[in-house]
Amino acid sequence: MTQPALTGVRVIDISRVLAGPMCGQMLADHGADVYKVEPPTGDETRYWGPPFFRDNQSAYFTGLNRNKKNISLNLRTDGGQEVLRRMLKDADVLIENFKAGTLAKWGLSDEVIREEFPQLVHCRITGYGVDGPLGGAPGYDAVMQAYSGLMSINGEADGPEMRIGIPLVDIVTSLNAMSGILMALRARDTTGRGQLIDMALLDNALSILHPHAYTFLASGNNPKRTGVSHPTIAPYETFQAADGPFFLAVGNDNQFRKACAVLGAEAELCTPEFETNPLRVENRAKLRAKLSDIIGKWNRDELADKMIEAGVPAGPVNQVSDALAEPQALHRNMVVRAGEYTGLGLPIKLTDTPGSVRFGPRRRGEDNKDILAEFGYSEAEQHDLANTGVISAYMPEN
């Protein structure tokens, strides 16, 4: 059987919350051996609920920590730091998102890591970076959405700035962190040395301000909120069909003509004022009014089928339950089950070395014994670590 792409890569994940754990999970999905090092109190997202699955394991935590072995280790102790050092000795990747200076306080500064573990790819995730006017300041996703300008372009034109409904900055950071790790591993094949990957939530938030940052750079004007409408394409928005919301996304003039034909509305819509996209954007309100009347007479699934058949991107605005039950989503294996675990499938589908979901998130400290044995700790040494509070034995959480 073909092994997954990252088989043999050893990852020590001492991160919490979202960006780091999601990055570690993606590496684990594709075969890396990922060891989640969790403090005695647990990753705080274990308690970000309800809803919960088991033992106060929140839905939030469940979505970020599958396919990882789990050790509960107190890194604030000398013994915990020594265990971490032993784990890093033969590791390929370290993922962490501690406050700036925390690892240095534990004797693991950037310089020490580079000297003591030259093979290690060290992925550090912070809010603003570790230097500069805000270096070391704490930052969560929503704060970064506000600070970066993302909130300013999200929401209805006449309404307030709005947080995007998913932790988008954290998610993008996790994706870029994974890309950076893979780049650094590839570079190590040539240089023989690992390197530091310096990831800041702020940088990643700013990097996705497309096209709005470029609109400002080109015009000198702040972009305006347009709700669900696209700022520079029309029609590209939600309409109310007879049985619910429907999204029509017309990306070029040929698609617009096809959409008019599907709707049987060439006489009303294929007119000079709507002939090109710049004209449709200029006359957006009039176009929207006409399309609203016409689309309102259709059932959305029927209209979506006809639009797609004609080559026009369109579809119903689904609830999450609808989206997870869509035949195409199921065909693409985007809902997976492994034992008691049910979760989302892998979006990266490699034909020759595919990843997989092997098991769900482990309980805090569930693999203490196996992990310590793997890194050379005898049973007596393990008992000493437990008795001195370095490791926490797994106990069901109430």
Side-chain angles (χ1 to χ4, degrees):
M1 182 177 178
T2 303
Q3 293 184 317
L6 299 180
T7 298
V9 174
R10 177 175 282 182
V11 179
I12 311 302
D13 179 2
I14 58 176
S15 65
R16 303 96 58 223
V17 190
L18 198 154
M22 176 172 275
C23 175
Q25 176 173 278
M26 290 186 291
L27 296 171
D29 284 349
H30 288 276
D33 291 318
V34 179
Y35 302 82
K36 182 174 179 68
V37 178
E38 204 166 344
T41 54
D43 184 325
E44 53 260 53
T45 60
R46 280 189 182 273
Y47 314 104
W48 283 12
F52 296 96
F53 279 96
R54 64 177 189 185
D55 301 339
N56 282 347
Q57 179 180 297
S58 69
Y60 199 107
F61 178 90
T62 300
L64 303 169
N65 290 287
R66 70 189 179 202
N67 284 340
K68 302 177 187 178
K69 301 173 185 177
N70 190 295
I71 181 171
S72 185
L73 184 64
N74 189 347
L75 293 176
R76 298 180 183 276
T77 65
D78 291 341
Q81 294 158 26
E82 180 55 38
V83 173
L84 177 61
R85 271 189 156 86
R86 189 180 295 194
M87 294 177 74
L88 292 177
K89 182 179 179 181
D90 294 318
D92 298 291
V93 179
L94 169 67
I95 305 172
E96 54 97 359
N97 58 354
F98 288 110
K99 292 180 182 178
T102 299
L103 283 183
K105 183 174 66 177
W106 295 341
L108 287 169
S109 66
D110 293 350
E111 294 74 20
V112 169
I113 289 175
R114 186 168 180 83
E115 180 66 26
E116 194 170 333
F117 311 106
Q119 85 293 346
L120 191 66
V121 172
H122 173 195
C123 180
R124 180 175 63 211
I125 301 173
T126 60
Y128 299 90
V130 299
D131 50 20
L134 286 175
Y140 274 140
D141 177 278
V143 175
M144 292 303 165
Q145 288 194 33
Y147 188 80
S148 68
L150 277 171
M151 281 192 193
S152 76
I153 51 90
N154 190 51
E156 295 296 334
D158 56 353
E161 299 86 350
M162 294 187 67
R163 181 180 68 86
I164 297 166
I166 59 172
L168 182 61
V169 176
D170 275 337
I171 291 171
V172 169
T173 303
S174 73
L175 294 168
N176 284 335
M178 181 179 70
S179 297
I181 287 168
L182 297 179
M183 291 178 201
L185 289 173
R186 177 66 182 91
R188 193 182 67 175
D189 291 342
T190 302
T191 67
R193 294 187 66 88
Q195 59 184 293
L196 173 66
I197 304 166
D198 182 10
M199 302 293 298
L201 298 181
L202 174 61
D203 299 353
N204 286 272
L206 292 170
S207 76
I208 58 175
L209 277 172
H210 185 82
H212 305 285
Y214 290 91
T215 296
F216 167 74
L217 294 172
S219 68
N221 298 319
N222 274 316
K224 297 183 183 300
R225 291 188 294 282
T226 57
V228 295
S229 302
H230 195 286
T232 58
I233 307 173
Y236 201 103
E237 58 188 291
T238 301
F239 297 90
Q240 287 299 318
D243 58 346
F246 174 84
F247 200 93
L248 178 63
V250 172
N252 57 55
D253 298 336
N254 187 43
Q255 287 181 357
F256 181 70
R257 289 188 289 270
K258 291 178 178 178
C260 293
V262 169
L263 294 169
E266 294 98 324
E268 296 175 72
L269 299 176
C270 291
T271 61
E273 61 187 338
F274 303 138
E275 187 173 1
T276 66
N277 183 68
L279 288 170
R280 292 193 294 275
V281 171
E282 183 180 342
N283 297 299
R284 183 195 304 272
K286 187 174 181 180
L287 175 61
R288 176 175 174 78
K290 288 179 176 290
L291 281 170
S292 293
D293 288 341
I294 298 167
I295 291 175
K297 300 172 184 176
W298 286 76
N299 289 328
R300 57 185 190 162
D301 287 343
E302 179 187 3
L303 182 54
D305 290 343
K306 290 185 177 297
M307 287 288 182
I308 291 171
E309 185 179 356
V312 180
V317 179
N318 281 329
Q319 297 291 316
V320 172
S321 56
D322 300 324
L324 295 181
E326 283 283 0
Q328 187 63 22
L330 298 176
H331 174 76
R332 296 288 298 172
N333 295 318
M334 285 309 297
V335 177
V336 295
R337 292 173 175 81
E340 297 178 355
Y341 173 83
T342 301
L344 297 179
L346 279 60
I348 301 173
K349 294 175 169 60
L350 302 176
T351 56
D352 293 344
T353 56
S356 65
V357 176
R358 300 176 298 283
F359 53 89
R362 306 287 278 173
R363 295 176 172 90
R364 179 184 56 81
E366 190 166 355
D367 302 304
N368 283 353
K369 182 177 181 180
D370 291 342
I371 291 175
L372 289 172
E374 186 175 346
F375 287 94
Y377 285 91
S378 67
E379 287 193 16
E381 289 173 318
Q382 292 181 37
H383 284 302
D384 286 342
L385 292 173
N387 291 335
T388 55
V390 173
I391 61 169
S392 302
Y394 161 66
M395 293 292 290
E397 296 159 353
N398 297 320

PDB file of all heavy atoms in Angstrom, residues 318-332:
ATOM      1  N   ASN A 318     -26.857  27.438   0.735  1.00  0.00           N
ATOM      2  CA  ASN A 318     -27.152  26.326   1.628  1.00  0.00           C
ATOM      3  C   ASN A 318     -26.927  26.674   3.090  1.00  0.00           C
ATOM      4  O   ASN A 318     -26.069  27.499   3.431  1.00  0.00           O
ATOM      5  CB  ASN A 318     -26.264  25.126   1.294  1.00  0.00           C
ATOM      6  CG  ASN A 318     -26.742  24.344   0.094  1.00  0.00           C
ATOM      7  OD1 ASN A 318     -27.941  24.277  -0.173  1.00  0.00           O
ATOM      8  ND2 ASN A 318     -25.820  23.727  -0.623  1.00  0.00           N
ATOM      9  N   GLN A 319     -27.666  26.004   3.974  1.00  0.00           N
ATOM     10  CA  GLN A 319     -27.290  25.909   5.371  1.00  0.00           C
ATOM     11  C   GLN A 319     -26.154  24.886   5.478  1.00  0.00           C
ATOM     12  O   GLN A 319     -25.914  24.092   4.559  1.00  0.00           O
ATOM     13  CB  GLN A 319     -28.478  25.447   6.211  1.00  0.00           C
ATOM     14  CG  GLN A 319     -29.667  26.400   6.207  1.00  0.00           C
ATOM     15  CD  GLN A 319     -29.369  27.692   6.947  1.00  0.00           C
ATOM     16  OE1 GLN A 319     -28.793  27.671   8.022  1.00  0.00           O
ATOM     17  NE2 GLN A 319     -29.771  28.815   6.359  1.00  0.00           N
ATOM     18  N   VAL A 320     -25.422  24.908   6.596  1.00  0.00           N
ATOM     19  CA  VAL A 320     -24.321  23.966   6.777  1.00  0.00           C
ATOM     20  C   VAL A 320     -24.817  22.523   6.637  1.00  0.00           C
ATOM     21  O   VAL A 320     -24.169  21.681   6.002  1.00  0.00           O
ATOM     22  CB  VAL A 320     -23.638  24.175   8.140  1.00  0.00           C
ATOM     23  CG1 VAL A 320     -22.621  23.070   8.423  1.00  0.00           C
ATOM     24  CG2 VAL A 320     -22.961  25.546   8.188  1.00  0.00           C
ATOM     25  N   SER A 321     -25.980  22.229   7.206  1.00  0.00           N
ATOM     26  CA  SER A 321     -26.525  20.873   7.109  1.00  0.00           C
ATOM     27  C   SER A 321     -26.779  20.477   5.663  1.00  0.00           C
ATOM     28  O   SER A 321     -26.553  19.321   5.276  1.00  0.00           O
ATOM     29  CB  SER A 321     -27.818  20.770   7.922  1.00  0.00           C
ATOM     30  OG  SER A 321     -28.759  21.751   7.496  1.00  0.00           O
ATOM     31  N   ASP A 322     -27.267  21.433   4.852  1.00  0.00           N
ATOM     32  CA  ASP A 322     -27.501  21.159   3.433  1.00  0.00           C
ATOM     33  C   ASP A 322     -26.183  20.890   2.717  1.00  0.00           C
ATOM     34  O   ASP A 322     -26.066  19.954   1.912  1.00  0.00           O
ATOM     35  CB  ASP A 322     -28.193  22.351   2.767  1.00  0.00           C
ATOM     36  CG  ASP A 322     -29.541  22.679   3.376  1.00  0.00           C
ATOM     37  OD1 ASP A 322     -30.254  21.731   3.763  1.00  0.00           O
ATOM     38  OD2 ASP A 322     -29.879  23.873   3.463  1.00  0.00           O
ATOM     39  N   ALA A 323     -25.183  21.732   2.998  1.00  0.00           N
ATOM     40  CA  ALA A 323     -23.904  21.613   2.302  1.00  0.00           C
ATOM     41  C   ALA A 323     -23.241  20.268   2.576  1.00  0.00           C
ATOM     42  O   ALA A 323     -22.683  19.633   1.671  1.00  0.00           O
ATOM     43  CB  ALA A 323     -22.978  22.755   2.731  1.00  0.00           C
ATOM     44  N   LEU A 324     -23.305  19.806   3.837  1.00  0.00           N
ATOM     45  CA  LEU A 324     -22.658  18.534   4.185  1.00  0.00           C
ATOM     46  C   LEU A 324     -23.403  17.333   3.642  1.00  0.00           C
ATOM     47  O   LEU A 324     -22.851  16.227   3.587  1.00  0.00           O
ATOM     48  CB  LEU A 324     -22.515  18.425   5.697  1.00  0.00           C
ATOM     49  CG  LEU A 324     -21.593  19.445   6.366  1.00  0.00           C
ATOM     50  CD1 LEU A 324     -21.520  19.192   7.860  1.00  0.00           C
ATOM     51  CD2 LEU A 324     -20.190  19.418   5.756  1.00  0.00           C
ATOM     52  N   ALA A 325     -24.646  17.538   3.231  1.00  0.00           N
ATOM     53  CA  ALA A 325     -25.442  16.444   2.669  1.00  0.00           C
ATOM     54  C   ALA A 325     -25.487  16.472   1.149  1.00  0.00           C
ATOM     55  O   ALA A 325     -26.083  15.576   0.536  1.00  0.00           O
ATOM     56  CB  ALA A 325     -26.869  16.497   3.226  1.00  0.00           C
ATOM     57  N   GLU A 326     -24.884  17.468   0.523  1.00  0.00           N
ATOM     58  CA  GLU A 326     -24.918  17.570  -0.934  1.00  0.00           C
ATOM     59  C   GLU A 326     -24.247  16.346  -1.565  1.00  0.00           C
ATOM     60  O   GLU A 326     -23.162  15.934  -1.135  1.00  0.00           O
ATOM     61  CB  GLU A 326     -24.205  18.837  -1.403  1.00  0.00           C
ATOM     62  CG  GLU A 326     -25.007  20.117  -1.216  1.00  0.00           C
ATOM     63  CD  GLU A 326     -26.105  20.279  -2.265  1.00  0.00           C
ATOM     64  OE1 GLU A 326     -26.234  19.383  -3.139  1.00  0.00           O
ATOM     65  OE2 GLU A 326     -26.826  21.292  -2.210  1.00  0.00           O
ATOM     66  N   PRO A 327     -24.855  15.748  -2.584  1.00  0.00           N
ATOM     67  CA  PRO A 327     -24.256  14.575  -3.227  1.00  0.00           C
ATOM     68  C   PRO A 327     -22.821  14.803  -3.702  1.00  0.00           C
ATOM     69  O   PRO A 327     -21.983  13.903  -3.604  1.00  0.00           O
ATOM     70  CB  PRO A 327     -25.203  14.305  -4.402  1.00  0.00           C
ATOM     71  CG  PRO A 327     -26.527  14.843  -3.948  1.00  0.00           C
ATOM     72  CD  PRO A 327     -26.194  16.059  -3.134  1.00  0.00           C
ATOM     73  N   GLN A 328     -22.528  16.010  -4.207  1.00  0.00           N
ATOM     74  CA  GLN A 328     -21.169  16.263  -4.681  1.00  0.00           C
ATOM     75  C   GLN A 328     -20.169  16.290  -3.536  1.00  0.00           C
ATOM     76  O   GLN A 328     -19.046  15.780  -3.661  1.00  0.00           O
ATOM     77  CB  GLN A 328     -21.106  17.590  -5.456  1.00  0.00           C
ATOM     78  CG  GLN A 328     -19.765  17.861  -6.130  1.00  0.00           C
ATOM     79  CD  GLN A 328     -19.418  16.839  -7.200  1.00  0.00           C
ATOM     80  OE1 GLN A 328     -20.289  16.174  -7.746  1.00  0.00           O
ATOM     81  NE2 GLN A 328     -18.137  16.712  -7.521  1.00  0.00           N
ATOM     82  N   ALA A 329     -20.560  16.869  -2.388  1.00  0.00           N
ATOM     83  CA  ALA A 329     -19.676  16.881  -1.222  1.00  0.00           C
ATOM     84  C   ALA A 329     -19.404  15.460  -0.737  1.00  0.00           C
ATOM     85  O   ALA A 329     -18.270  15.110  -0.376  1.00  0.00           O
ATOM     86  CB  ALA A 329     -20.285  17.717  -0.101  1.00  0.00           C
ATOM     87  N   LEU A 330     -20.439  14.619  -0.739  1.00  0.00           N
ATOM     88  CA  LEU A 330     -20.265  13.229  -0.323  1.00  0.00           C
ATOM     89  C   LEU A 330     -19.420  12.459  -1.333  1.00  0.00           C
ATOM     90  O   LEU A 330     -18.576  11.628  -0.962  1.00  0.00           O
ATOM     91  CB  LEU A 330     -21.630  12.568  -0.136  1.00  0.00           C
ATOM     92  CG  LEU A 330     -22.521  13.200   0.945  1.00  0.00           C
ATOM     93  CD1 LEU A 330     -23.883  12.510   0.974  1.00  0.00           C
ATOM     94  CD2 LEU A 330     -21.848  13.124   2.309  1.00  0.00           C
ATOM     95  N   HIS A 331     -19.629  12.733  -2.611  1.00  0.00           N
ATOM     96  CA  HIS A 331     -18.836  12.090  -3.658  1.00  0.00           C
ATOM     97  C   HIS A 331     -17.354  12.433  -3.508  1.00  0.00           C
ATOM     98  O   HIS A 331     -16.481  11.598  -3.783  1.00  0.00           O
ATOM     99  CB  HIS A 331     -19.340  12.525  -5.034  1.00  0.00           C
ATOM    100  CG  HIS A 331     -18.500  12.044  -6.167  1.00  0.00           C
ATOM    101  ND1 HIS A 331     -18.530  10.741  -6.618  1.00  0.00           N
ATOM    102  CD2 HIS A 331     -17.587  12.697  -6.946  1.00  0.00           C
ATOM    103  CE1 HIS A 331     -17.677  10.600  -7.621  1.00  0.00           C
ATOM    104  NE2 HIS A 331     -17.086  11.765  -7.832  1.00  0.00           N
ATOM    105  N   ARG A 332     -17.073  13.661  -3.056  1.00  0.00           N
ATOM    106  CA  ARG A 332     -15.691  14.106  -2.879  1.00  0.00           C
ATOM    107  C   ARG A 332     -15.121  13.696  -1.514  1.00  0.00           C
ATOM    108  O   ARG A 332     -14.029  14.109  -1.143  1.00  0.00           O
ATOM    109  CB  ARG A 332     -15.619  15.627  -3.014  1.00  0.00           C
ATOM    110  CG  ARG A 332     -15.985  16.166  -4.387  1.00  0.00           C
ATOM    111  CD  ARG A 332     -14.913  15.875  -5.406  1.00  0.00           C
ATOM    112  NE  ARG A 332     -13.649  16.518  -5.072  1.00  0.00           N
ATOM    113  CZ  ARG A 332     -12.509  16.299  -5.735  1.00  0.00           C
ATOM    114  NH1 ARG A 332     -12.488  15.444  -6.749  1.00  0.00           N
ATOM    115  NH2 ARG A 332     -11.392  16.913  -5.370  1.00  0.00           N
TER     116      ARG A 332
END
